[in-house]
Amino acid sequence: MKNHSPAFERSLRRQVDAAVQGSPALRKEFARRSHLGRWRRVAAAVGWVFVVGPCWGLPALLALEMPFRPAGPATLAVCLLWLGGWFAAIWAEAGEWETARLPLWPESPGGLLTRHWARLRGLAAYWGLAAGGGLLGLGGAGGWTLPAWLAWALSVLLATLFFAAACVWLALSFPPRLRSRLTTGIIYGSGLLFFLEYQAANLLHQPDPPAWLSPVLTQGLRILHWLLPTAWPWAWLGGIKDGAWQPAVWLLLPTLGVIATLPCARRRLERAVGRAVEHDPITPPSAAVAASSAATPPRNAAGEISVPDIWFAGRSVPAGWWDRRLRHWFTAREQALADFAFPPGTRLGGAWRRIFTHAGLTLLLGLAMNHVSPAGRDWVLVTGGALVGAEALVSVWSTGRAFERGLRGPLGLPATACFPRYAVLGIGYRELSRMLFKHSVIQLPALVFLGAAGAGLGFALGYGDGWTAAGWGARISLLCFGLGWGQRPLQFAESNQIWPPLFAPSVLVALAFVLGYCVLACFAVITGDATSGRWLTAALAEAWLADRAYGRLYNRGFFDLTRPAPGGY
Amino acid sequence: MNVELRGLVKTWGRTRALDNVSLTLAPGQIVCLLGANGAGKTTLLCTIHGLIAPDAGGVWLDGRPFRRSDLELRRRMFFLADASGLFADQSVLRNLAVILRLYDADRPENEARVLSIMGELDLLPLAREPVGTLSRGQAYKVGLAALLAADPELWLLDEPFAAGLDPAGIDALKRHARAAAARGRTIIYSTQLLEVAERFADRACVLHQGRVHACDTLAVLRERAADQDNPLQEMFRKLRESAG
């Protein structure tokens, strides 16, 4: 089923084209729109490739690595990254579609279910193709036989079906509360259980496991293999390597199970829609009135909002002890600026809480590494790293909200401060930049999280020394900080600041440069290459230069959208 | 479509957004809802559409009690709030096709009408553009085009004259609304613009703190008012004074 009639749309398109071609004025307007839209379409298409590109590149790199190392933790990391991103993307899309739009239109819950499926299957198929295509490289390098290829293809097909169905199920079951925290919790929880499972497996393969423990562990592992998505890639690869079909069977049953429970989800949706209709305050009048009166800034005699008065726009000041301590570092004006830039207030303590919540598990796993076998360390850290990677991947999609500002920390914070917005308010670049820098530094603990991920990758590549891993963590932290600041101007580039035909190519070239640099620098830093210091220095220097150059343009009013356009366009 | 509201009550926390609202709106009328911010206009529109369930009272459409699960009745009404019901990543044509499918109006005999409406609203050159790339007014026109093409019996419009429509769009909206009313359609819209309400409504309903303060034809409202030229202005002034 489609959500629309392709024949109707096709016929309408033909008639629209004929009408446009028949009128010179429409033709001219159409050409103007198409000209602008062409670059937008190119940017969107190429941008998407850039976003997903690393997904395709990693398997290729792994495939290159395969002749030298058997498929191991790094392969699993990629699988986890794919599955996490895949899952979160589809789920976020499902939630966005369900909660925002469909209730407006006349459709029953059963119809919503069908339309969900019609909407999501394309996205699910894309990820299926990405996973299948990317791992072709692995198969090629691993010398798979025809049965192994077929088993893999069937597994990917079923995995696609399973994830799409599961996402529809979740979207239908929890429509008002589709939040990334639950996704994150599922991914982390599954990762933790996988770690426990792996440790149990290690115990099982000890020379002399206790006789009473062996059957318990065997049964327990079998159940866990069925239950844990994070365990499936491992099992698939292990099975497929031998040309076995068990992975497909494992997938088939949960897929059928999810599909069988979709009617239950539909009933849940009916109840949820009923609750939403009963209690959803679309426009709570009292809140709207209160907000409008609180947000009214004082005006001068002429009735205009003066620049200093903008600070009175009803910002909430965090009242926690930790927030008050942190805010001592900011001047009064910087505090006001921070409150204005990050409404409804800086809430630095809240950011730390989020950071520690997310970093805690990784750190605990890191500490536990000292007590696990060397092989286990790889798995632990790679699992953590892959989970971070999955979240990082989701963060770049507009529909994914897995990474919030506090979690992204220094890497993501610059992205949330929209400089052009303030260019007309008479705020100096230097004070704005200084405030951002302080705000970023305060959130430095987030780098522990990124550092642990880097350390995980390092362990996966065979560097098992704790100090070395700590060094990686520090270097990766600095690298992320530098890259975060360095790419800031790129994130704020807007088409009305650059001549439109040059906009897309210039941004894409810059993006390609940044991405290429990121990949090379990360590899150099992670592998402990002798040139890693230079890469780091270059990243920080680039950040400094970009900051200076952007500031210069800013202070010259280059981003003031009220000024006359250069070149008269 | 005959719309009957019986004792509608809706509270948000301690605020009564709708306080015992009872109205009967006959087919073929253009009704405007007036009121200060927070008076309950949008809540009333959402309640009629079924997006909000009232705490008490009910909505009867053509003599039938309305429930959200009644798809047949829901297909006979169209709520145009803003562009939030559209699919930003899909083209104008695809949006129209999807919405018309939902209203079972994507029939071949409807194509000429859709084309004519698109031409009237200057949407032809934008037909292949994703809605997310359009301006606010253009996006609203897409929703309006869907409404006009679906030709529902009950139009519910939330602040249509403050949605960024250009003069041509406003003119088209008014013209189509009058024609639809002449065909027996019921049009209910909210606005803050008293000048618009005085010229483009058969009845004006003034809401104040969730209650219907007045709901009558403009001629009757004019008769009641001391200021014959600005009856609505006078009414609003009195309401503010009484609230103060």
Side-chain angles (χ1 to χ4, degrees):
Chain A
M1 177 197 171
K2 279 193 174 291
N3 285 332
H4 68 289
S5 159
F8 180 78
E9 187 189 2
R10 227 174 7 249
S11 169
L12 209 54
R13 191 185 301 128
R14 270 198 300 270
Q15 295 185 46
V16 166
D17 289 346
V20 169
Q21 290 304 318
S23 159
L26 288 179
R27 207 164 52 233
K28 194 174 172 187
E29 175 62 11
F30 181 78
R32 189 179 73 87
R33 298 284 312 188
S34 300
H35 181 68
L36 293 174
R38 189 184 310 137
W39 291 111
R40 197 186 306 121
R41 281 192 291 275
V42 169
V46 182
W48 178 244
V49 171
F50 272 111
V51 168
V52 184
C55 245
W56 295 76
L58 277 174
L61 288 169
L62 287 171
L64 289 175
E65 189 196 352
M66 286 280 285
F68 310 105
R69 282 165 63 95
T75 309
L76 179 66
V78 175
C79 293
L80 292 176
L81 185 142
W82 256 325
L83 289 173
W86 185 8
F87 181 78
I90 297 175
W91 192 11
E93 178 70 15
E96 199 259 348
W97 165 274
E98 158 59 33
T99 54
R101 296 185 172 89
L102 280 178
L104 269 178
W105 306 115
E107 188 54 280
S108 63
L112 290 184
L113 178 72
T114 316
R115 291 180 190 287
H116 259 311
W117 179 249
R119 168 83 172 174
L120 289 173
R121 65 185 174 192
L123 191 58
Y126 173 82
W127 278 96
L129 285 173
L135 287 174
L136 281 179
L138 281 181
W144 285 356
T145 58
L146 183 62
W149 284 111
L150 292 175
W152 173 249
L154 186 62
S155 294
V156 168
L157 183 71
L158 285 170
T160 304
L161 193 63
F162 172 79
F163 274 93
C167 289
V168 171
W169 190 93
L170 285 166
L172 290 177
S173 301
F174 307 100
R177 299 186 60 79
L178 273 177
R179 291 292 178 268
S180 55
R181 283 178 192 166
L182 191 53
T183 318
T184 310
I186 289 171
I187 295 175
Y188 274 125
S190 187
L192 178 63
L193 287 174
F194 177 68
F195 161 67
L196 295 175
E197 178 197 7
Y198 185 78
Q199 290 308 311
N202 276 344
L203 197 59
L204 192 66
H205 291 100
Q206 294 290 321
D208 296 311
W212 59 271
L213 192 59
S214 185
V216 174
L217 285 176
T218 307
Q219 291 302 325
L221 284 181
R222 192 167 298 161
I223 293 169
L224 278 174
H225 267 136
W226 284 66
L227 291 179
L228 299 178
T230 35
W232 296 342
W234 184 33
W236 297 344
L237 286 172
I240 291 164
K241 249 175 110 177
D242 308 325
W245 294 86
Q246 290 95 328
V249 177
W250 288 354
L251 272 171
L252 184 63
L253 290 173
T255 304
L256 291 176
V258 168
I259 291 172
T261 54
L262 279 175
C264 304
R266 176 182 157 178
R267 280 194 289 278
R268 283 184 64 107
L269 177 70
E270 283 169 355
R271 287 198 296 274
V273 168
R275 280 198 303 273
V277 167
E278 290 291 337
H279 302 296
D280 188 19
I282 289 180
T283 319
S286 55
V289 172
S292 64
S293 60
T296 305
R299 291 165 188 269
N300 60 21
E304 297 166 345
I305 301 173
S306 51
V307 171
D309 293 340
I310 203 81
W311 312 128
F312 291 93
R315 307 292 166 187
S316 64
V317 178
W321 178 85
W322 188 232
D323 277 320
R324 287 200 300 275
R325 298 281 83 70
L326 291 175
R327 287 171 71 89
H328 280 318
W329 193 29
F330 290 76
T331 64
R333 184 163 171 87
E334 283 169 354
Q335 283 181 26
L337 191 56
D339 287 343
F340 181 67
F342 309 121
T346 46
R347 292 186 182 172
L348 299 165
W352 275 44
R353 274 195 299 277
R354 281 199 298 276
I355 290 165
F356 282 123
T357 303
H358 288 262
L361 182 61
T362 308
L363 287 175
L364 282 176
L365 290 176
L367 291 172
M369 277 189 316
N370 291 325
H371 306 288
V372 299
S373 62
R377 291 180 187 181
D378 287 5
W379 292 99
V380 172
L381 287 172
V382 166
T383 303
L387 296 175
V388 174
E391 284 204 9
L393 185 63
V394 173
S395 73
V396 296
W397 295 327
S398 58
T399 50
R401 294 166 57 190
F403 259 22
E404 293 175 0
R405 185 195 313 143
L407 177 58
R408 287 190 293 180
L411 187 61
L413 181 66
T416 61
C418 183
F419 281 94
R421 189 154 51 120
Y422 307 130
V424 295
L425 293 180
I427 302 168
Y429 176 81
R430 199 171 169 186
E431 59 180 347
L432 194 57
S433 189
R434 192 189 301 126
M435 181 277 294
L436 274 176
F437 185 78
K438 287 183 178 179
H439 205 284
S440 298
V441 169
I442 278 177
Q443 299 190 60
L444 272 175
L447 291 178
V448 174
F449 188 51
L450 295 167
L457 281 174
F459 270 108
L461 293 172
Y463 297 86
D465 177 66
W467 286 109
T468 310
W472 284 326
R475 284 199 295 265
I476 286 176
S477 299
L478 279 173
L479 186 68
C480 289
F481 193 85
L483 293 174
W485 277 86
Q487 65 174 311
R488 188 177 47 177
L490 192 63
Q491 292 169 341
F492 300 132
E494 290 191 10
S495 59
N496 47 7
Q497 293 161 9
I498 307 173
W499 189 43
L502 276 181
F503 172 69
S506 55
V507 169
L508 289 177
V509 166
L511 194 61
F513 173 77
V514 169
L515 279 176
Y517 180 84
C518 285
V519 170
L520 291 174
C522 282
F523 268 89
V525 170
I526 288 168
T527 55
D529 190 279
T531 60
S532 64
R534 274 175 258 166
W535 284 104
L536 266 180
T537 310
L540 294 174
E542 189 263 341
W544 185 81
L545 281 173
D547 189 64
R548 288 284 152 171
Y550 192 81
R552 198 174 170 80
L553 292 172
Y554 182 97
N555 285 335
R556 284 186 170 191
F558 190 71
F559 305 120
D560 181 354
L561 302 182
T562 61
R563 70 177 186 143
Y569 65 84
Chain B
M1 179 181 272
N2 188 290
V3 180
E4 193 180 351
L5 314 177
R6 295 182 190 169
L8 285 179
V9 176
K10 182 67 193 178
T11 54
W12 303 121
R14 284 181 293 180
T15 305
R16 279 174 98 84
L18 297 178
D19 190 357
N20 197 24
V21 173
S22 295
L23 282 175
T24 302
L25 307 173
Q29 284 191 337
I30 299 176
V31 181
C32 78
L33 301 177
L34 291 164
N37 294 334
K41 303 183 295 296
T42 303
T43 305
L44 183 58
L45 288 172
C46 290
T47 308
I48 297 172
H49 184 255
L51 281 174
I52 296 173
D55 298 331
V59 178
W60 271 255
L61 301 175
D62 278 347
R64 279 165 58 183
F66 171 60
R67 295 281 177 277
R68 189 181 161 78
S69 56
D70 189 339
L71 288 180
E72 193 269 327
L73 276 179
R74 282 177 62 197
R75 286 201 183 97
R76 291 167 61 190
M77 64 170 87
F78 198 116
F79 183 32
L80 188 57
D82 48 30
S84 63
L86 303 174
F87 308 103
D89 58 333
Q90 299 187 356
S91 71
V92 171
L93 276 180
R94 176 66 58 83
N95 265 280
L96 290 175
V98 169
I99 295 170
L100 293 182
R101 161 62 66 91
L102 288 163
Y103 278 87
D104 197 21
D106 55 349
R107 296 182 297 274
E109 61 268 24
N110 216 9
E111 286 173 8
R113 178 177 163 76
V114 176
L115 197 69
S116 154
I117 291 166
M118 288 180 71
E120 216 174 329
L121 295 174
D122 300 328
L123 291 175
L124 289 175
L126 313 175
R128 291 166 183 262
E129 299 288 323
V131 166
T133 64
L134 303 182
S135 72
R136 178 166 159 255
Q138 287 170 331
Y140 193 83
K141 280 181 176 177
V142 178
L144 182 60
L147 182 150
L148 297 177
D151 192 24
E153 293 176 47
L154 175 60
W155 298 20
L156 300 167
L157 310 169
D158 193 15
E159 301 277 5
F161 299 106
L165 284 178
D166 57 20
I170 290 175
D171 180 56
L173 168 61
K174 286 181 176 175
R175 209 158 11 86
H176 279 280
R178 288 205 188 283
R183 294 199 308 273
R185 303 323 196 206
T186 307
I187 291 114
I188 306 174
Y189 73 94
S190 63
T191 186
Q192 303 280 3
L193 306 173
L194 300 183
E195 298 84 357
V196 171
E198 285 176 6
R199 292 178 186 174
F200 182 65
D202 300 318
R203 286 178 74 180
C205 293
V206 181
L207 290 169
H208 183 63
Q209 295 178 345
R211 292 184 184 171
V212 179
H213 182 74
C215 189
D216 232 316
T217 61
L218 285 165
V220 172
L221 292 177
R222 208 167 275 132
E223 276 175 22
R224 286 188 203 155
D227 184 351
Q228 300 278 316
D229 294 331
N230 299 300
L232 294 173
Q233 289 272 19
E234 183 190 324
M235 193 176 293
F236 265 87
R237 195 178 60 247
K238 283 181 180 171
L239 285 172
R240 281 179 63 87
E241 286 168 3
S242 66

